[in-house]
């Protein structure tokens, strides 16, 4: 086991946080209004007395962005955890399904499923993780029957006051970062470099976001608003929920509906 070099960790964060911002912006570039419209409940907008196209568009896009950013940043934090653990324990990205990290410590093989926060899944998803742990343990013992294996659900932020779950441990926030690094204050050390060039990157993101909101609002009005400007709720519900799939194509500004 090696002691973590905190300066090296800060350098890694500063050099790689741009990857997260690039993916955020790229996700906006490929997003389509039709995709987000089909994922949300049109009846809810009507029940909330939403009156403008921009209100609907912003609500749809903001919900998508929030969910997408959580996923993107979770993936980025997983990369950071792997980097740190490799430096301290020589850990590696696991090739076993459902397992993100493996490392050896004092004769024990730790298998880790990394999640963003403590409330990451429902009962079915947790049951799936437990099954993944059992399969991983069986796989590893096939090649080494005497191997001691500990399963861990590591969460990058948050708390869990009862880490011992019986067949696995759940370490959240400070406990998780200390578990993979043996550095008790690592969870606070990584905060500062996360802000590297954040202002510039967020301004770039804001520009892309504003353009997309304007573009989607126009597209929504062309497709789902009457000439008076009133929202055509029946058309919106049909697009979202009709048994017959259809999509809109524009040719020389004329709307053509394909069933």
């Amino acid at each position: 086991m090696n002691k973590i070099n905190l300066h090296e960790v800060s350098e890694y964060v500063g050099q790689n946080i741009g990857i997260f911002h690039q993916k955020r912006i790229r996700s906006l570039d490929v997003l389509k209004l039709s995709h987000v419209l089909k994922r949300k409940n049109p009846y809810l907008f009507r029940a909330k007395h939403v009156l403008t196209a921009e209100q609907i568009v912003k609500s749809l896009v903001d919900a998508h962005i929030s969910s997408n950013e959580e996923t993107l940043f979770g993936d980025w934090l997983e990369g950071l955890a792997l980097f740190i653990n490799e430096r301290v324990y020589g850990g590696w990205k696991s090739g076993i399904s459902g397992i993100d990290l493996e490392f050896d410590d004092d004769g024990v093989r730790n298998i880790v499923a990394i999640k963003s926060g403590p409330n990451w899944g429902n009962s079915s998803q947790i049951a799936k993780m437990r099954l993944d742990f059992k399969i991983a343990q069986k796989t590893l013992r096939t090649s080494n029957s005497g191997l001691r294996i500990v399963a861990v659900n590591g969460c990058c932020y948050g708390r869990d006051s009862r880490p011992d779950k019986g067949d696995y441990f759940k370490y959240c926030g400070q406990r998780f970062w200390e578990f993979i690094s043996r550095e008790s204050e690592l969870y606070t050390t990584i905060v500062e470099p996360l802000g590297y060039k954040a202002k510039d990157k967020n301004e770039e993101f804001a520009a892309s976001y504003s353009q997309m909101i304007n573009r989607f609002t126009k597209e929504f009005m062309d497709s789902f608003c009457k000439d008076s400007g009133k929202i055509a709720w029946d058309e919106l519900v049909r697009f979202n929920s009709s048994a017959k799939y259809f999509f809109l194509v524009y040719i020389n500004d004329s709307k053509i509906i394909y069933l």
Side-chain angles (χ1 to χ4, degrees):
M1 183 181 76
N2 301 312
K3 184 172 176 58
I4 189 67
N5 184 327
L6 296 179
H7 178 69
E8 189 177 21
V9 173
S10 294
E11 281 192 340
Y12 174 92
V13 173
Q15 291 170 3
N16 289 275
I17 190 60
I19 296 173
F20 164 68
H21 292 295
Q22 289 168 8
K23 289 183 177 180
R24 288 174 71 213
I25 295 171
R26 195 179 305 132
S27 71
L28 293 185
D29 294 338
V30 300
L31 188 63
K32 295 184 181 300
L33 176 63
S34 59
H35 292 168
V36 291
L37 277 174
K38 290 173 184 174
R39 297 192 194 115
K40 298 300 178 181
N41 185 349
Y43 302 106
L44 178 61
F45 291 121
R46 184 60 166 153
K48 291 171 66 176
H49 196 55
V50 174
L51 298 176
T52 69
E54 185 177 1
Q55 281 179 290
I56 292 178
V57 167
K58 279 183 61 64
S59 178
L60 290 168
V61 171
D62 289 349
H64 168 83
I65 288 174
S66 177
S67 175
N68 187 60
E69 287 184 343
E70 186 76 16
T71 300
L72 290 176
F73 197 61
D75 291 343
W76 189 90
L77 283 174
E78 178 186 324
L80 174 61
L82 289 168
F83 169 81
I84 290 170
N85 188 261
E86 189 277 330
R87 291 296 190 275
V88 177
Y89 288 106
W92 60 94
K93 172 72 176 175
S94 179
I96 302 174
S97 177
I99 308 301
D100 300 306
L101 168 67
E102 291 184 51
F103 70 96
D104 295 326
D105 178 23
D106 196 23
V108 174
R109 172 68 53 83
N110 293 284
I111 56 174
V112 188
I114 302 175
K115 307 297 181 182
S116 291
N119 303 312
W120 59 267
N122 56 35
S123 58
S124 296
Q125 291 168 315
I126 294 172
K128 174 62 167 57
M129 181 185 68
R130 279 191 154 108
L131 179 60
D132 288 339
F133 282 149
K134 290 179 180 178
I135 294 173
Q137 289 167 336
K138 183 178 180 180
T139 300
L140 291 170
R141 288 191 178 116
T142 299
S143 57
N144 186 348
S145 60
L147 187 64
R148 293 174 57 204
I149 303 171
V150 173
V152 174
N153 172 204
C155 301
C156 297
Y157 67 86
R159 300 176 180 177
D160 190 300
S161 59
R162 191 176 60 86
D164 188 347
K165 305 302 180 184
D167 52 344
Y168 73 96
F169 291 91
K170 184 175 182 179
Y171 297 141
C172 299
Q174 180 181 12
R175 279 181 172 147
F176 168 66
W177 293 104
E178 184 174 4
F179 167 66
I180 64 170
S181 69
R182 289 295 180 259
E183 174 60 51
S184 64
E185 291 302 311
L186 180 64
Y187 78 113
T188 59
T189 302
I190 61 177
V191 169
E192 184 61 30
L194 286 175
Y196 180 68
K197 292 187 176 179
K199 183 176 183 293
D200 294 340
K201 295 297 182 181
N202 280 313
E203 287 177 353
E204 185 178 354
F205 180 84
S208 295
Y209 171 84
S210 299
Q211 292 169 14
M212 187 189 61
I213 293 296
N214 290 338
R215 188 173 68 251
F216 279 8
T217 300
K218 180 181 184 303
E219 185 179 341
F220 184 96
M221 292 182 68
D222 289 342
S223 301
F224 303 109
C225 287
K226 300 176 182 179
D227 291 341
S228 64
K230 186 178 181 180
I231 295 172
W233 290 103
D234 55 341
E235 292 297 327
L236 180 58
V237 171
R238 285 193 183 96
F239 179 81
N240 175 274
S241 303
S242 173
K244 290 185 177 180
Y245 172 78
F246 71 88
F247 58 93
L248 304 177
V249 174
Y250 293 88
I251 300 177
N252 296 327
D253 293 330
S254 296
K255 180 169 67 175
I256 299 177
I257 301 178
Y258 284 87
L259 299 177

